[in-house]
Amino acid sequence: GPVYTDLDQFLSLDRQKEILARAKDSEQSVLFAIPTNNFCVIPLIKNLEQELAGLKQTHPDWKITVAVCVNGPEAGPRAQIAQQLREYQQPWLESCPQVPLVIIDLPMPGKNNAMNALADFAKQNRDEIITFLDDDVRVSQGSLVSGVETLLASGRICLVGGKVKFRGQSRPWPRLASYVINRKEMYYPFGCHTVLYTESYPKLPSFPISDDRYRALVFIDKKSPQPFQRMIIDFRARIYAYLPTSFFR
């Protein structure tokens, strides 16, 4: 598909105004989307249960769906991960009866392809807002609702992300790396947690490319003296990303 360098290339100004007008309604349709090819997604799903139950109490008129796209080659762990998620659907239903848990099994590797599949599902499901979460994060209380509320209150088509804190495991090198990364200033939302209007999602190229930087490229307002005005860091939303020990072996 086409590669975009600006939001206005695929979302007209008239359509942007229509989306923002709809954002004022009390009823919203929100998809929480998780691309994965890792067993660590199971603890994240359990982490989301209580958080989403609280979100439904805060916004009972919102339609909420969770979708997990398990993707990868046939020879990998994709089938086992998808099976574990399907086995968890019944306990999930008992805990969050108003929030469907959808499993998408995609026989195609690459995080970008999984994110594109989730965005396609959001459009089919008529979800106006999509929140992407990496499979190795944990969210603090109130973070999910805060990210969506920040987007709705912004009054513009933008990209919202929580304040990401990286945590190393018990080994020294991951702990040192997380300390160094956490001291850097965030100028745009990381892929660990991003919230945007579904129609403003720029379909990612299938070839390997940083999804963080590609989205930042699209949302940077190159015509404005404040180029980062279409990207918001929500400091109320605390997202904890865990650096894998395997990265340092």
Side-chain angles (χ1 to χ4, degrees):
V3 176
Y4 299 107
T5 58
D6 193 271
L7 181 69
D8 297 335
Q9 290 177 337
F10 63 93
L11 194 61
S12 70
L13 294 178
D14 287 342
R15 187 58 191 145
Q16 291 182 37
K17 291 177 182 177
E18 291 173 2
I19 294 171
L20 294 177
R22 178 74 180 87
K24 298 175 183 177
D25 295 349
S26 60
E27 296 181 3
Q28 297 294 330
S29 182
V30 184
L31 176 71
F32 293 95
I34 307 166
T36 189
N37 188 29
N38 198 308
F39 287 99
C40 68
V41 72
I42 307 295
L44 170 61
I45 292 296
K46 295 179 179 179
N47 173 227
L48 295 182
E49 277 187 55
Q50 185 175 0
E51 183 72 8
L52 290 174
L55 195 157
K56 281 298 291 184
Q57 292 180 352
T58 307
H59 295 283
D61 293 334
W62 287 8
K63 186 192 85 167
I64 301 171
T65 306
V66 175
V68 183
C69 182
V70 187
N71 75 313
E74 294 290 346
R78 192 188 88 244
Q80 294 95 321
I81 298 169
Q83 181 58 33
Q84 283 195 17
L85 286 167
R86 291 190 188 98
E87 291 172 358
Y88 197 73
Q89 279 179 308
Q90 184 58 39
W92 173 278
L93 183 62
E94 294 171 1
S95 177
C96 301
Q98 295 179 300
V99 181
L101 174 60
V102 178
I103 313 301
I104 301 171
D105 193 350
L106 181 68
M108 183 185 298
K111 180 183 177 183
N112 291 357
N113 291 320
M115 294 179 70
N116 289 341
L118 288 163
D120 288 342
F121 173 78
K123 292 173 182 175
Q124 295 167 11
N125 202 42
R126 297 186 177 180
D127 294 312
E128 293 135 331
I129 296 170
I130 184 167
T131 296
F132 284 104
L133 291 164
D134 277 1
D135 57 12
D136 57 354
V137 304
R138 302 294 178 268
V139 297
S140 62
Q141 186 175 5
S143 294
L144 295 182
V145 66
S146 179
V148 177
E149 287 177 342
T150 299
L151 177 67
L152 292 170
S154 69
R156 53 191 164 184
I157 304 295
C158 61
L159 184 68
V160 174
K163 176 64 177 176
V164 178
K165 286 288 185 181
F166 289 89
R167 288 181 171 178
Q169 308 291 345
S170 58
R171 296 177 63 194
W173 282 115
R175 291 175 61 189
L176 176 60
S178 63
Y179 172 78
V180 172
I181 295 172
N182 287 335
R183 289 178 63 86
K184 295 181 67 176
E185 189 70 28
M186 286 179 63
Y187 292 103
Y188 56 84
F190 290 160
C192 304
H193 171 249
T194 49
V195 189
L196 67 164
Y197 292 107
T198 302
E199 289 190 55
S200 72
Y201 172 79
K203 199 156 190 177
L204 298 172
S206 291
F207 55 81
I209 187 174
S210 167
D211 59 290
D212 298 325
R213 291 193 172 96
Y214 183 75
R215 281 196 302 273
L217 171 68
V218 171
F219 276 88
I220 284 177
D221 192 344
K222 304 166 187 66
K223 300 184 286 289
S224 171
Q226 297 178 312
F228 289 96
Q229 67 174 342
R230 294 195 298 209
M231 290 182 279
I232 300 174
I233 304 297
D234 176 15
F235 289 96
R236 294 182 302 165
R238 293 282 174 169
I239 311 298
Y240 298 98
Y242 288 80
L243 294 174
T245 54
S246 58
F247 182 79
F248 299 91
R249 289 176 185 168

